[in-house]
Amino acid sequence: MKFFTAHATTASKIVTLIYIFYRLIVIFMLGNSIYMQEWSHVALLVLTLILFMLPYLIETYLHINIPSLLELIVISFIFSSTVLGELNDFYGHIPVWDTALHALNGFLAAGVGFSLIYLLNENITILKLTPLFIAVTTFCFSMTVGVAWEFVEFSADRWLNMDMQKDRIVRQINSVDLGQRNNKVVQLKDIQRTTIESETADGKKVTTVIHNGYLDVGVIDTMKDLFVNFIGALFFSIFGYLYSDHEHKRFLFVRNFIPTRRKF
């Protein structure tokens, strides 16, 4: 994180203040979660603090300067997804919260991928990458990040008993398991009710009834996340292509996503 110096810009000071504000909130919530013995929350908050340090570590060890706007978007995205989204249930209170964040993630990850390949292209002389190659690589990088995050969500649900891959009520399913012959697809339409019978740790039988549909446990959420990540990645890749193809004379906002090498 950019710390205050005599030459610090107003933008970097604002980023630092917001970073401190976010970090204090996370530390307070971490202490409360430890006291309440909410260990899944503790794990997520510790991960948040680690992710907050990434821009500072990248700048320090890779000797580059990250644009203030990019840094602000990164830390705000982390805070919005973990603290607000998961721990304060913004995903439940605001239906478009998850969709918006994943679209932003696709756009942001594409920006990071573009900056990496752009810096590589600017600092090598034996080979020059074409704007189309840079755009395709940018897109692939963003989609890889999106898939990796879905792995994180699945792992958290599987091993930390969380629900990052949100459940969804659906009214129709297609299944070959319900068919009388192998690979015969059975389509169930207009599902009215689903009954789930389970058992607690002490052996007590529990019956849960879901009205007006069937409970999908994450597949639709995952695919929706990847689709909007695709849209965000595609948009930035197009802008990155046009920026590179016009010799950096148009779409100048892309510069806000390009780190620069630190001068010693």
Side-chain angles (χ1 to χ4, degrees):
M1 205 39 62
K2 299 177 178 68
F3 295 100
F4 291 119
T5 67
H7 302 287
T9 64
T10 301
S12 65
K13 290 180 180 180
I14 292 175
V15 172
T16 302
L17 288 174
I18 294 176
Y19 169 77
I20 293 173
F21 175 70
Y22 286 163
R23 191 177 179 86
L24 288 175
I25 292 178
V26 173
I27 291 175
F28 173 80
M29 293 180 64
L30 177 61
N32 182 68
S33 297
I34 293 175
Y35 177 76
M36 299 296 294
Q37 297 185 4
E38 297 173 328
W39 303 120
S40 62
H41 290 188
V42 170
L44 190 59
L45 289 166
V46 170
L47 175 62
T48 302
L49 291 175
I50 293 173
L51 292 175
F52 275 172
M53 291 297 296
L54 284 181
Y56 172 72
L57 295 175
I58 290 173
E59 288 186 321
T60 301
Y61 292 102
L62 298 183
H63 306 296
I64 62 176
N65 292 317
I66 299 177
S68 296
L69 178 60
L70 176 59
E71 193 167 359
L72 177 60
I73 294 175
V74 169
I75 62 175
S76 295
F77 174 81
I78 295 169
F79 185 83
S80 298
S81 60
T82 58
V83 176
L84 297 181
E86 288 297 333
L87 300 182
N88 288 282
D89 197 27
F90 273 43
Y91 292 133
H93 298 312
I94 306 176
V96 299
W97 190 263
D98 183 58
T99 301
L101 284 181
H102 279 279
L104 176 60
N105 176 71
F107 190 88
L108 180 61
V112 173
F114 177 83
S115 68
L116 293 175
I117 195 68
Y118 177 85
L119 285 176
L120 174 65
N121 195 42
E122 290 295 306
N123 289 279
I124 58 176
T125 57
I126 60 174
L127 177 67
K128 284 299 179 182
L129 306 177
T130 65
L132 180 60
F133 182 86
I134 294 175
V136 172
T137 305
T138 295
F139 175 81
C140 293
F141 179 88
S142 178
M143 291 305 300
T144 300
V145 172
V147 171
W149 180 251
E150 293 304 316
F151 289 166
V152 172
E153 289 190 353
F154 173 82
S155 299
D157 292 353
R158 179 67 177 83
W159 303 110
L160 298 178
N161 296 322
M162 300 181 67
D163 185 23
M164 297 184 72
Q165 294 178 300
K166 301 305 181 195
D167 302 335
R168 189 181 298 261
I169 302 297
V170 295
R171 300 295 302 275
Q172 174 181 313
I173 61 173
N174 302 318
S175 173
V176 296
D177 286 343
L178 300 178
Q180 296 179 353
R181 292 178 297 176
N182 290 337
N183 294 323
K184 178 179 174 57
V185 177
V186 173
Q187 185 179 75
L188 301 181
K189 298 182 178 180
D190 195 25
I191 299 173
Q192 301 295 316
R193 182 175 64 253
T194 304
T195 302
I196 301 175
E197 296 182 354
S198 58
E199 185 175 316
T200 62
D202 58 1
K204 182 180 179 181
K205 300 290 185 180
V206 177
T207 300
T208 303
V209 178
I210 301 171
H211 296 281
N212 299 317
Y214 163 79
L215 184 65
D216 174 81
V217 289
V219 176
I220 293 178
D221 179 77
T222 296
M223 294 310 301
K224 181 262 299 176
D225 291 346
L226 291 177
F227 272 122
V228 296
N229 190 101
F230 170 89
I231 294 173
L234 182 63
F235 265 91
F236 193 95
S237 298
I238 292 173
F239 289 133
Y241 169 80
L242 295 174
Y243 175 78
S244 301
D245 194 47
H246 288 86
E247 298 181 349
H248 317 156
K249 297 178 180 178
R250 299 180 62 182
F251 303 95
L252 299 182
F253 81 94
V254 173
R255 291 180 180 175
N256 293 315
F257 294 85
I258 302 176
T260 56
R261 294 182 65 85
R262 185 172 297 172
K263 297 180 180 179
F264 296 95

